[in-house]
Amino acid sequence: GRVFVLRLEDGDVLNETLETFAREHGICRALAFYVGGAAPGSEVVVGPDADRTDAIIPLIHTLTGPHETMALGTIFPNEEGEPVAHMHAACGREGAATVGCTRAGLQTWLTGEVVLLEILGAKAGRVLDPTTGFELLA
């Protein structure tokens, strides 16, 4: 498929930006790489609150101060055909690191770079799993 190179601007929200770009360019499935900064106040999911029981409650971590960040993820369509990004990021500052899912709201600090590789020929998509409430790859 096609290869896209994007520059994200200060304050761009990673998942929202990728999903909007995918929708505008007719990208159904892709692999995405991000290198750049994460803004203070960005939020990442750092795990479930407890072991699985009746409900999975995400733990949200808020970044304090700008962080150096790299992320890897995918874009696949949900049951309505909308592109949904699933990205995990490693965010570091002053020798400490936080790793988590960017769906809570990772915002670009200053600038970020994305390489998006379109995947052709695959039929995979995200399907709502009634047990977890997540849109899982199927």
Side-chain angles (χ1 to χ4, degrees):
R2 299 169 289 175
V3 176
F4 298 90
V5 178
L6 294 76
R7 184 181 83 192
L8 276 61
E9 302 292 337
D10 194 43
D12 285 345
V13 179
L14 182 59
N15 287 37
E16 291 174 15
T17 302
L18 293 178
E19 291 167 358
T20 298
F21 185 86
R23 192 175 308 104
E24 291 173 352
H25 290 84
I27 302 166
C28 291
R29 295 161 183 86
L31 178 63
F33 302 88
Y34 174 84
V35 174
S42 290
E43 295 182 328
V44 291
V45 178
V46 294
D49 184 41
D51 220 0
R52 272 183 24 183
T53 56
D54 289 344
I56 298 173
I57 302 167
L59 285 176
I60 306 294
H61 176 77
T62 303
L63 300 178
T64 56
H67 282 63
E68 297 296 333
T69 303
M70 62 179 167
L72 175 66
T74 59
I75 296 173
F76 285 99
N78 65 13
E79 292 175 284
E80 289 78 39
E82 291 295 316
V84 176
H86 182 200
M87 303 283 295
H88 282 219
C91 308
R93 180 175 172 83
E94 296 183 17
T98 298
V99 177
C101 183
T102 62
R103 75 175 180 262
L106 189 129
Q107 299 173 20
T108 301
W109 178 79
L110 190 57
T111 188
E113 301 170 1
V114 173
V115 176
L116 198 59
L117 307 175
E118 184 179 35
I119 300 169
L120 298 178
K123 301 296 182 205
R126 301 193 191 286
V127 177
L128 184 62
D129 176 61
T131 304
T132 63
F134 296 158
E135 290 181 323
L136 300 178
L137 193 60

